[in-house]
Amino acid sequence: MTSKPSVCVAIEPDLIAAATGEAVASAASRVQSHIAGCATCRNDYAHYRALETVVGDLRSTLPAADAEDARRRLIERLADLRSRLVRYRVAPSPLGPILIAVTEHGVSLVEYLGRGGAAGSRLFREAGVEAEEGGADLDRLHGELGEFIEGRRRQLDWSLDLRSARSDFQRQVMEVTVAVPYGAVASYAGIARELGRPAAVRAVAQALRHNPLPIVVPCHRIIGSTGKLVGYAGNRVALKERLLGVEGVPVNARAASIERGAMYHYDPNPDHQYCLPTCGSILRRPLGQIRLFAHREQAAVWGLEPCVDCRPDLHPLSR
Amino acid sequence: MTPETGFEAIVTVHHAEIYRYLRRLTFRVGEAEDLSQETFFRAYRAWAALPSDANVRAWLFKIATNVFRNHARGERRRLIAHATVQASRREVDPDGPEAAAMAGELQALTEATIQRLPVKQRMAFTLRKLHELDYEIIGQSLDCSAETARAHVFQALRKIRTSLDGHVLPRTESTR
């Protein structure tokens, strides 16, 4: 090897390239003119050409029969991984750092993080969950949530994964709560009634206390029968007040209560008429049966007509 | 919000090739299956963050290469021992015609040499010669430049060619 003339050593890379079909035209013709006069390199070239044939055979001979079985098993295990995999991202918000998590079915968790940050998230306390950070879709969700909190967006049209609900009952409570519209409030008692379990007021409150999807499942719109805000996400009543404020729901901060007297009322009646809070004795009706809303447009969504006595259309509430 | 649809398509299109790649690197069925599974698990986790215009094939090869490199650490000696056994077993082809036996022997010899190559040369050679990837993409997989990737492939070719010295090679036209 060491006795190889320097010109042969120098041309070797081009020779290999030419023999294996990777050389540019100029290098290939240089190689051709060299091997025309050099028997050793001609022999080398022939060997590399032959090797290319052997490698070509190698390329096509690997049996792939077992690949099909392997693929089938992979698909099965991927399905299992998929059902357990949760992707999450933490982002700052006007309400403090918030974690959003998604599964293949949709958003599964929106969590106000405490001092422990993401490490303290309930995500890591759930058995069988594989948590993974990141994903461009999570940036979009955080963007929309931020807009919502700042009052620039009224809807979060997210597909939700309610599988992490603690019970069927909690899932039902969440489904009913999702239907309470922007700028409206309902009471725990009202939700219980709607579920056909009027006595389960405390159970409804408990279910919402552990709501895994605050804001998007708007438990901040559910209040006590007296109009008190009661609780929110543990001890974060101030956030509830703030979210209601963003939606235009009048709140008396000192009393930690909504200003029922500054909202439209709908007491279910055959004429589907909604009223001003000053209409007759409506202000004294139990909250559990009444729909309260801050924006008159909501009446149209529900198909309600203005009351012919108090005429909320002629005397809209001022904000 | 339905990542499974797109990712299953990726598995359908690319699994066989990635599996073959890992099978070539490991020469063991079970190992190749474990490693390709690991590759697609990692890919699935990272998939949401993958830009929509990314070269999925190159991306999967990179992941598979990393998976294999992690696996190969500390396993190298065992793999070489296995390769030798495998190669000597493959050399025997009593029923085939003489030419086929000869070609089979050359192939087995080549495979055995490939397995004795340093890991980077082996991967570069496999990616280039058996999966026909661009040097640019091979470089990305191996965390080196395209030029270095090319050098790895040429080193590998040199060693394989040397190992075939003294064997009757298949006839090819000597010039083009």
Side-chain angles (χ1 to χ4, degrees), chain A residues 19-22 48-64, chain B residues 16-17 20-21 23-24 27 57 61 90 107 110-111 114 124-133 135 153 157:
Chain A
T20 55
E22 294 194 0
Y48 279 115
R49 294 287 299 153
L51 176 58
E52 191 67 1
T53 308
V54 174
V55 169
D57 291 345
L58 219 53
R59 199 179 298 142
S60 54
T61 50
L62 187 68
Chain B
E17 191 181 21
R20 271 203 296 274
Y21 170 53
R23 179 89 200 267
R24 279 170 174 142
F27 285 78
R57 181 167 177 251
F61 267 108
R90 291 277 298 271
Q107 261 191 30
T110 308
E111 283 183 349
I114 293 169
F125 175 85
T126 307
L127 289 168
R128 176 65 198 160
K129 289 298 171 187
L130 303 183
H131 293 274
E132 302 174 287
L133 263 66
Y135 283 117
V153 173
L157 280 169

Side-chain angles (χ1 to χ4, degrees), chain A residues 28-258:
Chain A
S29 66
R30 248 198 331 276
V31 168
Q32 290 304 330
S33 51
H34 175 77
I35 63 176
C38 173
T40 314
C41 285
R42 192 159 56 243
N43 182 45
D44 259 4
Y45 183 85
H47 273 79
Y48 279 115
R49 294 287 299 153
L51 176 58
E52 191 67 1
T53 308
V54 174
V55 169
D57 291 345
L58 219 53
R59 199 179 298 142
S60 54
T61 50
L62 187 68
D66 50 320
E68 190 46 40
D69 290 340
R71 190 179 67 87
R72 208 172 315 113
R73 285 190 287 269
L74 170 66
I75 296 275
E76 278 168 26
R77 295 201 186 163
L78 264 177
D80 173 60
L81 173 68
R82 271 209 315 257
S83 67
R84 288 183 295 113
L85 190 66
V86 177
R87 291 179 300 104
Y88 71 95
R89 178 156 288 175
V90 177
S93 87
L95 308 181
I98 290 180
L99 178 147
I100 299 179
V102 298
T103 68
E104 59 174 329
H105 297 293
V107 178
S108 63
L109 181 64
V110 173
E111 188 177 15
Y112 298 111
L113 293 178
R115 274 191 219 102
S121 168
R122 63 202 268 178
L123 199 57
F124 303 105
R125 296 196 298 270
E126 281 168 29
V129 164
E130 264 201 64
E132 191 79 21
E133 196 173 358
D137 50 339
L138 284 157
D139 290 338
R140 181 180 60 81
L141 296 175
H142 269 297
E144 291 183 5
L145 190 70
E147 287 170 13
F148 184 94
I149 293 169
E150 287 162 11
R152 292 185 286 123
R153 169 185 284 276
R154 287 182 164 211
Q155 289 286 328
L156 294 170
D157 294 321
W158 298 352
S159 38
L160 302 179
D161 181 354
L162 301 183
R163 289 177 308 162
S164 64
R166 298 175 160 206
S167 61
D168 285 345
F169 180 73
Q170 189 187 30
R171 198 170 300 120
Q172 288 165 14
V173 170
M174 288 167 75
E175 280 161 3
V176 172
T177 302
V178 163
V180 177
Y182 192 90
V185 292
S187 66
Y188 298 106
I191 300 285
R193 256 170 49 107
E194 209 163 322
L195 286 170
R197 295 182 53 183
V201 181
R202 273 172 179 281
V204 168
Q206 272 303 309
L208 290 180
R209 181 186 160 83
H210 299 287
N211 175 13
L213 294 159
I215 307 179
V216 54
V217 172
C219 56
H220 60 276
R221 294 178 195 148
I222 316 301
I223 57 174
S225 295
T226 60
K228 291 269 187 194
L229 301 188
V230 191
Y232 184 63
N235 55 358
R236 295 181 168 89
V237 179
L239 297 189
K240 186 170 189 170
E241 182 190 320
R242 182 161 172 176
L243 285 167
L244 287 172
V246 165
E247 297 188 15
V249 174
V251 176
N252 180 332
R254 206 138 40 111
S257 162
I258 61 150

Side-chain angles (χ1 to χ4, degrees), chain B residues 1 17 20-21 31 41 44 47 50 53 68 78 81 87 93 97 111 113 117 121 125 130 136 161 163 165-166:
Chain B
M1 274 298 152
E17 191 181 21
R20 271 203 296 274
Y21 170 53
E31 231 161 50
F41 282 7
Y44 180 70
W47 187 56
L50 186 74
D53 60 347
F68 176 73
R78 195 177 59 70
D93 190 2
E111 283 183 349
T113 311
L117 293 171
Q121 287 177 18
F125 175 85
L130 303 183
E136 201 61 47
R161 182 231 173 290
S163 76
D165 265 350

